[in-house]
Amino acid sequence: ADTQARYGIPQGYIEQFIDGIARDIAQTRYDTFAELAEYCYGVASTVGLMVMHIVGFAGEDALPYAVRLGIALQLTNILRDVAEDWRVGRLYLPMEELDAFGLGEADIAAGRVDDRWRAFMRFQIARTRRLYAESQPGIALLARDGQLPINAAAQLYAAILQDIEAHDYQVFTHRAHIGTWGKLR
């Protein structure tokens, strides 16, 4: 409450964040990417929108960039954590997109990495990278002191996608990450 008052964080962002977390408790599958993006907005974009008020930003034009970055960050988490989420009964990958690539829950349960999975993951990673690219101009709209840490976070998270690719999209037995040297670079 103190931070909200001090930095003028709109109450709506806080409520949307809480709603996003509540949705996470109740919903374990997402039929479409639109549904998944709405979830990502609730649990990640709202955080970015709140942080912008602390960091400072140039104006309303900056908001859509924060939304895209939040969705990209959450999608990266989702792609990295498929196996971990599956073990706790969740599947955040859009069901209709899995189906379009000839995949189903049995493939996820089996941890099957085949040509269908690779094509699916290439599609998901390409979309996530587009969101990172589309969010990038918004970093210049942040207060100067906030630009470096937000850009660094975006670059580090985007690098997780490279690790997924480097391990042939094997997210079932390998948890993608960036090592210390990669982070320093």
Side-chain angles (χ1 to χ4, degrees):
D2 177 65
T3 302
Q4 180 188 6
R6 182 178 302 169
Y7 295 102
I9 298 170
Q11 180 66 27
Y13 294 151
I14 297 166
E15 292 169 2
Q16 290 171 332
F17 177 65
I18 292 168
D19 289 346
I21 293 170
R23 183 176 187 175
D24 195 33
I25 293 168
Q27 188 169 356
T28 61
R29 302 289 187 277
Y30 293 85
D31 290 329
T32 67
F33 179 72
E35 287 179 13
L36 182 61
E38 185 180 302
Y39 162 74
C40 292
Y41 171 87
V43 298
S45 295
T46 55
V47 174
L49 292 166
M50 289 186 276
V51 167
M52 287 175 65
H53 284 78
I54 297 168
V55 169
F57 59 102
E60 299 292 312
D61 291 347
L63 301 179
Y65 296 106
V67 170
R68 287 185 189 98
L69 180 56
I71 293 171
L73 293 168
Q74 189 62 31
L75 288 174
T76 302
N77 280 340
I78 288 167
L79 296 175
R80 178 194 62 199
D81 296 340
V82 173
E84 182 180 326
D85 292 332
W86 180 258
R87 282 192 294 275
V88 295
R90 293 189 173 100
L91 181 59
Y92 292 102
L93 305 172
M95 300 304 292
E96 74 176 15
E97 292 179 1
L98 283 168
D99 186 57
F101 283 87
L103 297 164
E105 291 195 33
D107 296 297
I108 305 300
R112 193 170 291 122
V113 176
D114 58 16
D115 289 341
R116 298 168 305 149
W117 177 253
R118 290 180 190 96
F120 173 80
M121 288 295 283
R122 280 191 294 272
F123 175 80
Q124 299 299 323
I125 288 172
R127 174 172 45 214
T128 305
R129 283 191 173 128
R130 274 193 309 276
L131 287 163
Y132 279 118
E134 291 169 3
S135 72
Q136 195 65 32
I139 293 174
L141 300 175
L142 297 173
R144 191 163 179 77
D145 288 349
Q147 292 177 14
L148 177 64
I150 300 301
N151 191 46
Q155 297 302 318
L156 286 170
Y157 253 72
I160 291 170
L161 301 173
Q162 292 172 336
D163 194 57
I164 291 171
E165 292 169 323
H167 289 88
D168 195 30
Y169 309 99
Q170 177 52 272
V171 294
F172 300 105
T173 60
H174 171 79
R175 188 169 196 267
H177 69 283
I178 305 305
T180 303
W181 289 112
K183 289 176 185 174
L184 289 173
R185 255 185 272 128

